[in-house]
Amino acid sequence: MNPLEAKLKEKSIAPTAMRVVVLDFLLKQSAALSLTELELGMHRTDRVTLYRTIRTFEEHGLVHRIEDGSGVTKFAMCQTSCNVDGHHDLHIHFYCTQCKETHCLPKTHIPEVSLPSGYLALDTQLIVKGLCGSCNVAIT
Ligand SMILES: [Zn+2]
Ligand SMILES: [Zn+2]
């Protein structure tokens, strides 16, 4: 079996041609992408189909969304521990104010936040802003 199809099946996603193409594109990215960037990077796709594909990926723990404060939602690949039951890799994201790229920092987990009783957390985002490795080198 094609490794891309295998990766989709691993997350219980039926490997349609469209999903394989989107996954292939996502795996080639070094930074998180917005829906618009995905659309621009992948020709011959319409926005609605692309959005539906990303939603399916998100629901099955293949990608996660990132709100980095730039105003647009971005998406990045998940770790293997995420699945249809939920995302289990809450990690910090780094937003570079110079190149505007957002990167996952999967080794830096978000600490458990204590909430008042009766409160239920559905999503936790922790963004660190600054200069990424390449931009920091370029400036100094
Ligand atoms: Zn940068
Ligand atoms: Zn991430």
Side-chain angles (χ1 to χ4, degrees):
M1 201 196 313
N2 159 329
L4 293 169
E5 290 185 9
K7 205 167 168 62
L8 289 170
K9 286 198 171 154
E10 204 177 276
K11 305 276 184 178
S12 322
I13 303 169
T16 63
M18 174 71 181
R19 288 168 181 168
V20 169
V21 171
V22 175
L23 174 63
D24 185 43
F25 184 74
L26 281 169
L27 287 169
K28 289 177 181 148
Q29 307 306 315
S30 58
L33 286 187
S34 67
L35 207 55
T36 306
E37 288 168 327
L38 266 168
E39 198 183 7
L40 290 172
M42 301 186 46
H43 318 288
R44 73 194 181 86
T45 50
D46 69 283
R47 203 181 171 90
V48 178
T49 316
L50 194 57
Y51 186 66
R52 240 189 266 128
T53 305
I54 291 296
R55 278 304 298 264
T56 304
F57 284 6
E58 190 184 11
E59 282 161 13
H60 287 78
L62 188 61
V63 299
H64 57 283
R65 63 174 60 217
I66 305 159
E67 314 287 349
D68 61 11
S70 66
V72 281
T73 302
K74 294 178 184 171
F75 297 91
M77 294 296 300
C78 285
Q79 309 290 303
T80 45
S81 59
C82 300
N83 54 39
V84 72
D85 297 323
H87 293 269
H88 308 290
D89 67 333
L90 276 185
H91 51 262
I92 286 176
H93 290 107
F94 190 92
Y95 177 71
C96 176
T97 54
Q98 188 71 27
C99 66
K100 318 283 186 221
E101 285 195 352
T102 300
H103 294 269
C104 291
L105 300 182
K107 285 182 189 146
T108 316
H109 290 268
I110 294 182
E112 186 124 11
V113 185
S114 68
L115 295 171
S117 77
Y119 284 59
L120 170 70
L122 294 174
D123 187 24
T124 309
Q125 301 266 345
L126 184 52
I127 308 290
V128 178
K129 294 185 186 185
L131 296 175
C132 71
S134 348
C135 291
N136 197 15
V137 166
I139 281 173
T140 51

